[in-house]
Amino acid sequence: MTSRWSRRRKLRKMVEAAESDIIRHFNEMVAEKHKQKSNAQVENKRPQVAEESGVSHCHPGIDSPVFPSRSEHISEVCETYVSPDKDNDYDFSFDSFGCHAPPFDSDISDAEADDEAPNNEFLITSLRYWASTFSVSLVAVTALLGILRVFHPDLPKDARTVLRTQGQINTIKMDGGEYHHFGLAKGLVSRLKSLILPANLNNLKLQFNIDGLPLFKSSKLQFWPILAIANVDYTKSPFLVGLYCGLGKPKSVVQFLDPFVKDLGHILKYGIIYNSYQITVKVCSFVCDAPARAFIKNIKAHNGYSGCDKCVQVGEWKNKMTYPELNAKLRTDSDFQLMTDEDHHLNQTLSPLAGMVKMITMFPLDYMHLCCLGVTRKLIYLWIKGKVLATRLSSRTVVEISEKLKALRPYTPNEFNRKPRELSEIDRWKATELRMFMLYTGPIVLRNSIPVEFYDNFMLFSVAMHLLLSPSMSNEMVDCANEFLVSFVSHFGELYGKDEITYNVHQLTHLSEEYRLFGPLDNIAAFPYENYLGQIKHLLRKPHLPLQQIVKRLSERTNVKPAPPTKARKLMHQHHDGPLVAPIRHSEQYKKVVTEKYILSVGDGDNCVQVVDDIALIRNIVKVDGETLVIFQKFCHKESYFQYPLPSSRIGCYRVSQLNSRPGITRLNNISGKYFLCPDNTAFIALPIMHSQ
């Protein structure tokens, strides 16, 4: 259960982000207005000057405005009204959202006011952004407009006018539901316009996701969206290409994919035109879970005898479909196209995507569903709810592990969206919580709590995933990760029974090949798509016409450019009582700094970092002559935390102790990584943070 203060902090961050976006949008709007005005004045002046003097030149006063620029004034207002470091309780009034136009100088002439005071335009833009960001209903916005029209008579009466709600919604009737195609080229160009792009961009790659999204607990109604992400999109935010709504998944994959296939074929052949330049578009991958992959590829499901989409192994039925073989022949793109394995394809029919994309290599395994929601959850279920008593843990052991998990909550870094929860709530654990257990907390809380053979088997899985999430790994280490996963599956069958080697467990033997094709598994993870699916569901306001609702809500969203990636640091929480080192005696001191990759602070959870080859704790953050420095204490002693299946030092995991009493100082740039630091009696366990989403 999220605490009141957590919800308050989250809302405050949303408000501050909305304020920043609105003010940035206003600055851009005013700058554009100044540019247009200056150009118009120059054009008007040039003929007169040419007539009088016979020389074409500009008046010295034309290029600089007579009055202070609007963007300069709004910057002053930002300093006065927007304080990101404000520590006092936030006032959630209408003004706090930054939606009122700031006050301006009253001595501006009427003509200047007509040109430079787009109060209504700014107010409407702010209302539009506010309403779409906080999902305010049309009725509420219309009521608010009724109040505002007393002071701004020129405002529209209806919220649909302000929000530019799309009127006519064109849908395609399909068996079992209906579909709306947003358009791949339209969505891609719109997304590119909101990004800061390299000047020489002439080609890009697209990654797609197709999955089902149940809408209501009391109904079978669900969405099947087609999402896409461009490789140049540093925000990793998907955009909608198409959306199906019906009672279950679409009846026909051919009918469902037809608009998308035609659109994709045209884009792949001709590319897109952006800023008068032609950009070549290619497909990188389709990231889907197992049921969606089987549906899109028109093949047997994961519980079928020929259900593995990576090898030709024929499954064995043991009250459920199992895949015990470890070295079956791998499938290839050409074999799929020729349908050499007839039992693998449904109705001897190829997917509509066949021939356009590579149906084996471009459909990678998604580790979010496979490893987090699949294998990790399965292991925990076997330990706490398993039917075989030999593999089930006692209730006392389960409580002991849960207490260890809860004890790690104060030490959880900001990079984790959720704090560890007890095992009794495993049914409600999210994928990010299962990932945390798989990579970070599991190796710590399970040690000395479960039988050694179970722990060693789990460590094969955990260490292999550490390796496959690491960047720039050598072929030797990829082979090592593959050996660990194959050994895990083999030992898993011996410990828990051959009948437990189901689809998810078997697919681990193919996971290392995805690293060779796509790099770290975060490159092909479904985390950003799952986040976006939640946002889509949140846009629904009533059960009636859900597809039309989503199209209208998306049409109301303003195209505010996201902040570009920057290496600038944000220093927060200034103080005056931190430790300093010679020769620094007088400097600005801060408790927290937000960098491009991490959030670092002097408090538990965000203070353990890597400085060159040492592991250290941040004690203070100072700014001297415009440069950010970190005062730290390094651990004098570090050793491997475990030795099986390899020394933990090989993956950067250590048991550390004995802080050096003499603090050191270094530039912020010299910090090369952040650690999850967990207490272990008189020492600590330091685990490098690997995941990137």
Side-chain angles (χ1 to χ4, degrees), residues 524-558:
I524 49 172
F527 284 103
Y529 299 107
E530 290 294 321
N531 292 336
Y532 190 75
L533 290 179
Q535 296 175 28
I536 292 177
K537 190 173 181 179
H538 185 66
L539 294 177
L540 284 178
R541 295 171 183 169
K542 55 184 178 181
H544 183 61
L545 298 176
L547 178 60
Q548 287 77 359
Q549 283 188 64
I550 296 299
V551 178
K552 290 183 177 182
R553 297 295 81 78
L554 292 177
S555 70
E556 295 168 356
R557 293 200 164 187
T558 55

Side-chain angles (χ1 to χ4, degrees), residues 413-415 569-573 590-611 616-621 628-630 666-676 689:
N414 264 295
E415 282 69 26
R569 291 76 181 259
K570 183 180 180 182
L571 294 166
M572 304 173 65
H573 307 317
Y590 299 89
K591 292 184 178 181
K592 185 176 182 180
V593 59
V594 180
T595 69
E596 183 184 11
K597 290 184 178 181
Y598 307 112
I599 297 175
L600 305 176
S601 76
V602 298
D604 290 339
D606 296 309
N607 64 341
C608 187
V609 295
Q610 181 178 356
V611 182
L617 295 182
I618 297 176
R619 294 310 188 192
N620 202 0
I621 301 168
T628 304
L629 306 175
V630 174
T666 186
R667 293 183 175 88
L668 186 60
N669 292 338
N670 292 335
I671 293 178
S672 55
K674 184 176 178 180
Y675 279 82
F676 187 167
I689 297 178

Side-chain angles (χ1 to χ4, degrees), residues 575-589 620 622-625 629 631 662-663 665:
H575 66 105
H576 306 284
D577 56 354
L580 297 174
V581 297
I584 299 174
R585 292 304 180 190
H586 302 285
S587 61
E588 298 177 13
Q589 303 179 49
N620 202 0
V622 298
K623 187 176 182 181
V624 181
D625 297 331
L629 306 175
I631 297 175
R662 184 177 181 181
I665 187 167

Side-chain angles (χ1 to χ4, degrees), residues 10 136 195 242 366 482 599:
K10 182 178 180 181
V136 184
L195 301 173
D366 163 39
N482 183 61
I599 297 175

Side-chain angles (χ1 to χ4, degrees), residues 66-310:
V66 177
F67 299 100
S69 70
R70 202 63 175 275
S71 58
E72 292 173 357
H73 192 85
I74 196 68
S75 298
E76 296 174 4
V77 174
C78 291
E79 294 177 2
T80 304
Y81 292 97
V82 183
S83 177
D85 297 332
K86 193 186 297 181
D87 291 325
N88 57 323
D89 288 344
Y90 211 85
D91 178 17
F92 293 106
S93 64
F94 184 70
D95 285 328
S96 70
F97 292 104
C99 294
H100 278 310
F104 295 98
D105 297 336
S106 58
D107 57 348
I108 298 178
S109 65
D110 293 340
E112 189 72 16
D114 292 339
D115 289 339
E116 292 203 34
N119 288 329
N120 281 348
E121 182 183 352
F122 178 48
L123 180 57
I124 290 173
T125 302
S126 301
L127 283 172
R128 187 184 308 126
Y129 185 77
W130 166 74
S132 61
T133 301
F134 298 98
S135 299
V136 184
S137 67
L138 295 178
V139 174
V141 177
T142 301
L144 178 61
L145 287 172
I147 298 173
L148 294 178
R149 277 175 53 82
V150 176
F151 309 97
H152 301 272
D154 294 334
L155 284 179
K157 295 181 179 180
D158 198 299
R160 290 170 293 184
T161 306
V162 172
L163 300 178
R164 299 176 183 172
T165 306
Q166 183 175 336
Q168 185 67 28
I169 307 298
N170 297 320
T171 61
I172 302 172
K173 297 297 182 181
M174 294 185 177
D175 293 340
E178 56 183 341
Y179 174 89
H180 177 80
H181 193 67
F182 294 88
L184 179 55
K186 180 181 177 182
L188 185 55
V189 171
S190 176
R191 180 50 51 89
L192 292 178
K193 287 181 179 178
S194 68
L195 301 173
I196 306 298
L197 300 173
N200 58 347
L201 179 66
N202 52 25
N203 63 79
L204 55 83
K205 294 183 179 180
L206 293 177
Q207 185 181 86
F208 296 98
N209 171 266
I210 302 175
D211 199 1
L213 176 64
L215 300 182
F216 311 106
K217 292 182 179 180
S218 58
S219 170
K220 293 182 179 180
L221 198 67
Q222 58 183 259
F223 283 149
W224 274 76
I226 303 175
L227 305 175
I229 294 180
N231 64 324
V232 295
D233 189 351
Y234 44 82
T235 67
K236 298 297 181 184
S237 300
F239 62 90
L240 264 170
V241 179
L243 183 62
Y244 170 87
C245 181
L247 296 174
K249 69 180 181 182
K251 301 294 184 182
S252 168
V253 65
V254 176
Q255 190 181 38
F256 169 59
L257 291 180
D258 183 61
F260 170 68
V261 168
K262 292 178 180 177
D263 199 0
L264 179 61
H266 184 272
I267 294 293
L268 294 179
K269 184 176 181 180
Y270 300 104
I272 62 170
I273 303 298
Y274 179 72
N275 283 347
S276 302
Y277 291 98
Q278 185 170 11
I279 299 178
T280 303
V281 179
K282 296 182 180 179
V283 175
C284 172
S285 57
F286 282 78
V287 177
C288 311
D289 61 5
R293 272 201 314 273
F295 172 65
I296 299 304
K297 296 171 70 173
N298 200 34
I299 59 175
K300 295 291 178 64
H302 61 281
N303 55 358
Y305 281 100
S306 297
C308 180
D309 52 343
K310 294 296 181 179

Side-chain angles (χ1 to χ4, degrees), residues 484-501:
F484 292 163
L485 290 175
V486 172
S487 297
F488 168 79
V489 175
S490 176
H491 297 162
F492 183 92
E494 296 173 2
L495 292 173
Y496 304 102
K498 298 288 186 181
D499 58 330
E500 294 295 343
I501 305 180

